[in-house]
Amino acid sequence: MSVPVYPMTRATGCPFDPPPQLRDLQGEAPLVKVRVFDRTAWMVTRYADQRKLLADRRLSSDVGKPGYPNSVARPVQSDEDTGIGFILMDDPEHSRLRRMVTAPFMIKRVEAMRPQVQEIVDNLIDDMLAGPKPVDLVTAFALPVPSLVICRLLGVPYEDHDFFQQNSKTLIRTSASIEERTEARNNIGRYLNELMGAKLANPEDDLLSGLAERVKAGELTRRDAAGIGVLLLIAGHETTANMIALGTLALLEHPDQLAVLRESEDPKLVAGAVEELLRYLNITHNGRRRAVLEDIEFAGEVLKAGDGVIFPNDLGNRDADAFPDPDRLDVSRDARHHIAFGFGVHQCLGQPLARMELQVVYGTLYRRIPALRRAVGLDEIPFKHDGAVYGVYSLPVTW
Amino acid sequence: MKIIVDQDKCVASGQCVTAAADVFDQRDEDGVVVLLTDNPSEDLSADVHQAAAVCPALAIVVED
Ligand code: SF4
């Protein structure tokens, strides 16, 4: 039997579901072989197994380890500018660096930012309502919300957003050439490195200045500090923005669910709807990647040292054993144990912030613009099939 | 019900606080889990089990 190539294409006309070919593999076996870029790798198809193995320390997130299954060639990094960011490292270095930036993402600190985020959201909606329609929800709302928030938190000037949004778009577009992605990576890297220099000279009250303090104290190299900045800036932009736009589209396509959300005053229901949309949409749709450090016996197979392993979270979150009737979007279900943020020590650091932003957005947008609707046919909406993060390139809406 | 947390394993995701804010908190400097009570009242049992289930670092153990 031929080995299927991962990632797979989604079915035309079904923008929210994982690729049918991928679903078939889930029915086949808990572990299957897939082909990626330049090798074959194991794919873990089921929710419970994904959780179990993602928490297994014999699997490495270090992209330099033999067997690490990339889907595309990695951009070449210019050494002098920035480090790689802790997402592609193992402990103890991973957790040493990660712990330096966890404080601003604590629940308490994030909750304290809620009024500011509410104000950002309200202002953007005011502008939308005052401006011409139809309008592209991505540029008018979905991208500015998380960009304004992460820029404020990191201490990055929002005026520069065109520059780093362009570059981060290129960087995560899998169809971009290796040269294009390398250039984009180095552009952002150089930018963050320069900004780090400015924070070293004139510290302010923001996350990058906090890192600069640690550079001064000798706890962190400037290169690693800038690498963490790149990671947080890109992650802060691309993920939440896509959850806002794609989530809105999904709700518009499920008017009964949108009505439940719009008509409830209960913050718990809004929070639950956010979890369900995270589960249902899985915008990081190309799977988590690991390399096997030592042989692991699992589900009747042996994952050998030097093998690659892929965990498609979209498949895990559509596993009927974990979520009954998994293809139904049901904002009232309890979906909190989903793995859209990953699982194990690398689970998304920014998730409290992402959750709070999405709660504010989902709890505000549809209530303030109750007549919100698509301004074009579903078949005219460009989906990000070629992105490391799934979503829509634009979403023309009117009301 | 008895709860044990492993602060060395914790990755400060805050999931436990979201699930059961009366039982778990996060340390100010780095967000690492802090147990507010290791023997909470029974009516918090569901929330505590939820917290243990969603903790990505498997840092929470509940003994009934
Ligand atoms: S859920 Fe687990 S990893 Fe997250 S803060 Fe609580 S104990 Fe730490």
Side-chain angles (χ1 to χ4, degrees):
Chain A
M1 209 185 72
S2 71
V3 180
V5 176
Y6 184 85
M8 287 128 187
T9 34
R10 292 178 187 243
T12 45
C14 192
F16 308 121
D17 288 349
Q21 203 193 352
L22 189 60
R23 299 298 291 276
D24 292 346
L25 293 174
Q26 188 173 46
E28 228 164 72
L31 284 173
V32 294
K33 285 266 183 167
V34 291
R35 167 154 286 284
V36 289
F37 182 47
D38 59 354
R39 68 186 75 229
T40 57
W42 293 104
M43 193 175 80
V44 185
T45 63
R46 294 173 193 168
Y47 170 86
D49 294 342
Q50 289 191 0
R51 277 181 47 130
K52 214 172 286 164
L53 283 171
L54 279 169
D56 194 315
R57 299 304 189 100
R58 291 170 294 178
L59 291 170
S60 166
S61 291
D62 181 347
V63 67
K65 285 279 181 317
Y68 190 94
N70 286 306
S71 269
V72 287
R74 296 204 69 79
V76 187
Q77 257 189 290
S78 66
D79 276 350
E80 68 284 9
D81 285 334
T82 61
I84 197 161
F86 46 79
I87 197 169
L88 298 174
M89 292 178 178
D90 288 334
D91 282 349
E93 197 55 4
H94 155 260
S95 77
R96 191 182 78 84
L97 295 181
R98 176 173 163 135
R99 282 193 178 190
M100 290 184 181
V101 290
T102 45
F105 298 99
M106 279 169 55
I107 302 290
K108 271 181 291 194
R109 301 271 295 269
V110 163
E111 280 309 317
M113 284 173 68
R114 194 182 278 265
Q116 286 180 47
V117 173
Q118 185 69 55
E119 196 186 314
I120 288 173
V121 165
D122 280 326
N123 288 342
L124 288 166
I125 296 174
D126 288 342
D127 293 348
M128 260 172 77
L129 289 171
K133 53 184 179 179
V135 64
D136 175 17
L137 189 82
V138 174
T139 46
F141 186 74
L143 199 48
V145 172
S147 311
L148 281 158
V149 174
I150 198 70
C151 283
R152 212 176 274 184
L153 196 135
L154 293 181
V156 170
Y158 184 70
E159 305 84 80
D160 298 338
H161 71 274
D162 278 340
F163 163 79
F164 48 72
Q165 276 163 7
Q166 276 315 319
N167 282 294
S168 99
K169 224 191 239 170
T170 306
L171 188 57
I172 66 161
R173 188 160 52 81
T174 45
S175 60
S177 71
I178 172 83
E179 290 78 18
E180 286 172 317
R181 278 182 295 118
T182 296
E183 196 198 327
R185 175 68 178 77
N186 291 334
N187 284 344
I188 303 186
R190 217 169 301 121
Y191 175 80
L192 250 304
N193 193 294
E194 271 166 33
L195 198 54
M196 195 53 70
K199 303 282 177 189
L200 276 165
N202 292 307
E204 289 167 278
D205 184 19
D206 54 48
L207 192 150
L208 291 182
S209 297
L211 288 177
E213 286 302 314
R214 296 198 188 247
V215 174
K216 254 187 222 157
E219 295 170 44
L220 185 66
T221 63
R222 176 164 164 179
R223 191 168 172 272
D224 277 342
I228 294 171
V230 171
L231 175 64
L232 297 182
L233 185 60
I234 296 177
H237 264 85
E238 292 298 335
T239 48
T240 313
N242 283 299
M243 271 307 298
I244 294 172
L246 193 66
T248 299
L249 181 60
L251 288 165
L252 292 175
E253 297 304 308
H254 296 82
D256 56 324
Q257 297 301 304
L258 180 54
V260 173
L261 185 58
R262 194 165 40 213
E263 278 144 34
S264 170
E265 297 276 343
D266 182 2
K268 272 212 174 116
L269 188 134
V270 176
V274 167
E275 300 309 313
E276 170 64 352
L277 278 146
L278 285 163
R279 177 196 77 84
Y280 180 75
L281 294 172
N282 291 297
I283 52 148
T284 55
H285 69 151
N286 281 349
R288 303 307 200 277
R289 314 285 172 121
R290 299 289 186 269
V292 183
L293 295 178
E294 43 179 291
D295 292 4
I296 303 171
E297 278 182 45
F298 197 85
E301 308 273 3
V302 182
L303 309 175
K304 291 222 173 60
D307 284 352
V309 189
I310 296 173
F311 301 84
N313 43 288
D314 46 352
L315 216 45
N317 280 338
R318 295 292 189 100
D319 184 339
D321 285 342
F323 304 96
D325 200 359
D327 296 340
R328 198 159 59 91
L329 176 67
D330 173 4
V331 296
S332 311
R333 84 160 84 212
D334 182 3
R336 279 178 294 177
H337 54 298
H338 68 73
I339 46 172
F341 289 117
F343 198 72
V345 297
H346 286 276
Q347 195 185 54
C348 176
L349 162 80
Q351 57 179 307
L353 180 64
R355 285 200 162 95
M356 184 272 281
E357 290 180 42
L358 292 171
Q359 287 164 8
V360 173
V361 165
Y362 292 175
T364 308
L365 179 64
Y366 318 119
R367 209 170 307 172
R368 285 204 55 199
I369 318 185
L372 190 76
R373 61 179 190 275
R374 265 196 282 113
V376 298
L378 190 59
D379 54 347
E380 290 168 69
I381 292 171
F383 288 91
K384 295 182 176 175
H385 293 291
D386 62 345
V389 181
Y390 186 61
V392 291
Y393 283 110
S394 67
L395 178 58
V397 290
T398 191
W399 50 89
Chain B
M1 175 170 51
K2 192 170 167 14
I3 306 169
I4 302 154
V5 296
D6 186 338
Q7 293 187 318
D8 292 334
K9 280 190 184 170
C10 171
V11 295
S13 69
Q15 298 253 51
C16 52
V17 184
T18 311
D22 293 333
V23 181
F24 303 99
D25 197 359
Q26 290 176 281
R27 199 157 70 188
D28 281 336
E29 316 86 77
D30 54 11
V32 165
V33 62
V34 178
L35 197 54
L36 297 174
T37 160
D38 62 359
N39 196 0
S41 65
E42 279 307 313
D43 54 320
L44 292 171
S45 171
D47 291 350
V48 168
H49 280 98
Q50 171 82 25
V54 294
C55 172
L58 308 177
I60 302 171
V61 176
V62 190
E63 287 167 3
D64 284 300

